[in-house]
Amino acid sequence: SKKLVLITGSSSGIGKHLAEVFLSENYRVIGLARRNVIIDNPNYIHYQCDLKENSQILKAVNTILEEFGSPEILMHNAGVAHFAPHEEHSQVDISSMVRVNLEAPLLLTNAFLREMKKNQGHIIFISSVTAVHNSPWGGVYAATKAAQLKFAQQLFDECRKSGLKVTTILPDMTATPFYDEKRFEPDTSQSENYLNVDDISKCVLDILKSRDGMVIQEVVLRPQKLKISKK
């Protein structure tokens, strides 16, 4: 039977691309996102879920467990970022980053973990290079990603005896709609200035194809050069 992968934030950017790549690799894909972007494939199932709302997360989880059981691969990809001097952040901005980037992955992992330990699954966090490198105006975002990384490290140590794998991918700036409403974006005039969604999906597939007794715990992906365009 086809392996089941659950991807958060599957409606655009890296998440949508990952969903399409997993479908082409013959997985069944569950997408968890606020918006339903039609992916025309019978193996794609979408659950509408606002990851800022714990009640919606738990409702989606219960439905998924009833209908499909637990995924073999859980991909924490959804992310919210607001970049501004810290005093300019609204309470809503701060709360949404903490909820989507940290609380939602903790809740989802908690809900599926017992079964994923039994099926020796793989939990993959699409984090950010800001978890390990400072980012101007990105203090809250970086803090949520650093906490996510710490949780992933702890989780692997806690669960490794069961056969569960945990990997964190820490990409630098990637050309996606993520920057549509930001004050800056990657300079895409030359390919060595930024990462693209293919770089990330290829990395994910390589990790999943690695030898069973070996775990790639963390991977930092960076463009050879880095150029930013201000808007």
Side-chain angles (χ1 to χ4, degrees):
S1 68
K2 289 180 165 55
K3 277 193 171 177
L4 182 65
V5 55
L6 189 154
I7 302 173
T8 64
S10 56
S11 59
S12 71
I14 295 169
K16 182 167 186 274
H17 182 72
L18 281 167
E20 287 163 345
V21 167
F22 273 111
L23 289 164
S24 72
E25 292 278 323
N26 214 20
Y27 286 82
R28 275 192 313 167
V29 177
I30 291 176
L32 216 58
R34 274 178 314 174
R35 290 176 297 131
N36 184 11
V37 169
I38 305 301
I39 295 178
D40 189 18
N41 187 309
N43 289 312
Y44 180 72
I45 308 105
H46 176 263
Y47 283 93
Q48 192 161 12
C49 178
D50 183 346
L51 292 167
K52 292 192 293 293
E53 303 297 332
N54 293 353
S55 59
Q56 288 190 32
I57 294 174
L58 297 172
K59 189 177 159 198
V61 160
N62 289 333
T63 314
I64 291 163
L65 284 170
E66 274 170 34
E67 290 185 24
F68 300 98
S70 178
E72 275 89 6
I73 300 165
L74 175 57
M75 295 219 52
H76 296 299
N77 161 77
V80 171
H82 299 283
F83 295 95
H86 191 65
E87 70 275 16
E88 287 181 22
H89 282 310
S90 72
Q91 203 176 339
V92 171
D93 289 348
I94 291 170
S95 176
S96 65
M97 284 188 274
V98 173
R99 288 197 155 181
V100 174
N101 301 347
L102 185 59
E103 195 169 353
L106 295 180
L107 285 172
L108 285 166
T109 302
N110 171 265
F112 292 119
L113 191 58
R114 197 169 262 116
E115 290 306 312
M116 288 191 76
K117 282 163 77 172
K118 283 183 199 159
N119 68 27
Q120 301 192 331
H122 202 144
I123 298 176
I124 300 176
F125 292 83
I126 304 291
S127 180
S128 159
V129 72
T130 59
V132 290
H133 290 285
N134 289 344
S135 151
W137 293 359
V140 179
Y141 179 67
T144 61
K145 291 296 191 174
Q148 198 188 73
L149 175 63
K150 186 65 190 169
F151 171 67
Q153 292 167 342
Q154 291 272 145
L155 186 68
F156 176 62
D157 281 355
E158 181 182 313
C159 302
R160 63 196 299 183
K161 281 197 178 81
S162 71
L164 182 85
K165 294 181 168 70
V166 183
T167 300
T168 306
I169 297 172
L170 304 120
D172 209 324
M173 287 180 77
T174 307
T176 70
F178 185 80
Y179 294 96
D180 284 357
E181 288 154 32
K182 309 281 183 277
R183 305 180 198 188
F184 61 94
E185 62 190 353
D187 173 352
T188 52
S189 60
Q190 288 178 301
S191 63
E192 65 264 35
N193 290 347
Y194 64 98
L195 300 174
N196 61 46
V197 287
D198 258 353
D199 298 327
I200 290 155
S201 62
K202 284 192 177 106
C203 179
V204 169
L205 291 180
D206 283 348
I207 285 164
L208 290 170
K209 287 171 184 166
S210 59
R211 179 175 74 79
D212 208 25
M214 189 273 299
V215 178
I216 296 171
Q217 196 173 4
E218 277 137 46
V219 184
V220 178
L221 304 179
R222 308 203 79 176
Q224 180 65 50
K225 302 174 184 174
L226 176 65
K227 271 194 164 173
I228 294 170
S229 314
K230 296 228 167 73
K231 296 183 192 175

